[in-house]
Amino acid sequence: MTRKIIIDTDPGQDDAVAILLAFGAARGEQPELEILGLTSVAGNVPIDFTTRNCLMLCELADRTDVPVHQGAEAPLQRKLVTAEHVHGPTGIDGIDRPEPTTKVAGENAAQFIVDTVMNTDDVTLCTLGPLTNIAKALELEPAIVGRIPELVLMGGGHFAGGNITPMAEFNVFVDPQAAAAVFESGLKLVMMPLDVTHKAISTPPRIDAFRQLGTAPGAAVAGMLDFYHRYDIERYGAEGGPLHDPCVVAYLLEPELFSGREVNVSVETESRLCMGATVVDWWRATRREPNCVVMSEVDADGFYTLLVDRIRRLG
Ligand code: BDR
Ligand code: CA
């Protein structure tokens, strides 16, 4: 079955790999995915760069037919926090590509999400950045909740804690009010937290496997990951960087690579020290109803095998 998706994203090298994985899975006689659009959001870098990066990735994958809709330039209530210290000033430093010539299809991502979901059955949402666009879409049309089979998100941390503060993961921290709206919405949620993504490390041999594809997308992935993993190696003393966002798309393709638990997740929106923390009720300490499947484990070798295989399909 071909699954219809919208990818909401703030590229980001790891977002870029997730998008290329999705484009690879959309190739062939029996595509696994149909990508209805990319929606950009401010996060890792400001909106002009995340939109430009979406357009560049569509050109790299030879998929300029996929519309890119620009989204929110700032979180719902807070000042934008960015992560150039991780991703470089463009967000996808390490890629060697010309500036895109394709233009955006629209500048209201939330409206695009609403229109697409209300007019097309079974659209899965994949979110790789702050949840601002999704919260705005929920505000515009609450009935989208009943029409979306699943929203798979990269965000939050559980036992792993945070990466932008001791308690908060970047995507949730940037727009905690939006994240809280999504977790309280009734949407069917699957969450890929730092606990999972820090088990999917881009070691040098894994990066080499992309380079050895001998293709433009393979070289782009290897170049971006060479840049991206420097920060994490220094910070965490790991063999490479955690490949966060591709876990979302990999889950759609091979869910058995992941395991977790259906639990309640609430988002802290008021505390000074814990702003943006995802409070995961793993041991059922409260009576709060489960609202999310929180993943905790990944088969990292299987995950990288899947990535290389689908990115190979891009030629
Ligand atoms: C998340 O934040 C961003 O830096 C990455 O692209 C990923 O979506 C990880 O915390
Ligand atoms: Ca991201």
Side-chain angles (χ1 to χ4, degrees):
M1 194 193 76
T2 307
R3 198 159 174 174
K4 288 171 276 195
I5 65 169
I6 294 173
I7 304 178
D8 187 73
T9 176
D10 64 335
Q13 289 90 352
D14 60 322
D15 303 68
V17 177
I19 291 166
L20 293 173
L21 170 62
F23 278 135
R27 283 278 162 96
E29 282 180 16
Q30 290 185 312
E32 297 159 289
L33 298 177
E34 180 184 353
I35 303 163
L36 303 180
L38 302 185
T39 51
S40 62
V41 64
N44 286 321
V45 284
I47 192 71
D48 287 351
F49 274 116
T50 59
T51 304
R52 168 244 195 209
N53 297 345
C54 288
L55 295 168
M56 187 181 281
L57 292 161
C58 289
E59 291 187 3
L60 172 60
D62 202 13
R63 288 300 309 270
T64 52
D65 58 304
V66 171
V68 173
H69 288 261
Q70 178 158 294
E73 65 179 341
L76 296 183
Q77 295 178 21
R78 280 155 59 83
K79 211 165 160 278
L80 178 64
V81 174
T82 53
E84 285 89 351
H85 59 292
V86 181
H87 300 274
T90 68
I92 54 172
D93 283 40
I95 199 170
D96 184 16
R97 297 285 304 169
E99 283 302 309
T101 55
T102 326
K103 302 289 176 226
V104 291
E107 298 193 358
N108 190 341
Q111 191 66 55
F112 169 74
I113 291 169
V114 167
D115 292 345
T116 308
V117 166
M118 295 310 288
N119 293 311
T120 317
D121 289 338
D122 298 328
V123 180
T124 295
L125 297 185
C126 303
T127 69
L128 315 179
L131 288 156
T132 320
N133 290 336
I134 311 303
K136 287 186 171 202
L138 286 165
E139 175 85 32
L140 280 173
E141 182 47 275
I144 61 173
V145 171
R147 294 196 45 85
I148 296 171
E150 206 166 38
L151 183 155
V152 188
L153 67 107
M154 190 282 134
H158 177 209
F159 296 112
N163 58 359
I164 186 77
T165 74
M167 297 303 288
E169 181 277 331
F170 180 81
N171 289 340
V172 179
F173 180 77
V174 170
D175 199 341
Q177 282 76 19
V182 170
F183 278 98
E184 289 164 13
S185 66
L187 279 163
K188 191 167 180 283
L189 302 174
V190 177
M191 166 171 148
M192 294 290 168
L194 296 174
D195 307 70
V196 168
T197 66
H198 277 256
K199 292 173 182 152
I201 298 297
S202 57
T203 60
R206 286 172 173 162
I207 296 179
D208 266 352
F210 294 111
R211 192 171 280 109
Q212 281 165 17
L213 290 175
T215 62
V221 169
M224 286 190 288
L225 294 185
D226 277 342
F227 179 91
Y228 169 76
H229 82 168
R230 277 183 215 148
Y231 172 85
D232 291 294
I233 289 171
E234 197 173 309
R235 182 175 189 189
Y236 300 109
E239 278 182 276
L243 211 40
H244 308 284
D245 295 334
C247 290
V248 167
V249 180
Y251 170 77
L252 299 183
L253 303 173
E254 288 189 17
E256 59 282 0
L257 290 173
F258 300 89
S259 59
R261 219 182 252 201
E262 192 175 11
V263 292
N264 181 275
V265 179
S266 305
V267 178
E268 178 57 64
T269 57
E270 284 168 17
S271 156
R272 183 173 61 87
L273 287 175
C274 299
M275 178 63 83
T278 41
V279 179
V280 178
D281 190 1
W282 193 255
W283 302 111
R284 303 298 303 263
T286 72
R287 289 169 187 252
R288 292 197 283 265
E289 282 299 310
N291 60 352
C292 180
V293 176
V294 176
M295 295 301 175
S296 57
E297 299 295 333
V298 56
D299 166 359
D301 287 332
F303 169 74
Y304 275 90
T305 301
L306 173 73
L307 271 171
V308 172
D309 179 73
R310 298 306 189 276
I311 287 170
R312 177 183 287 115
R313 291 186 193 173
L314 290 171

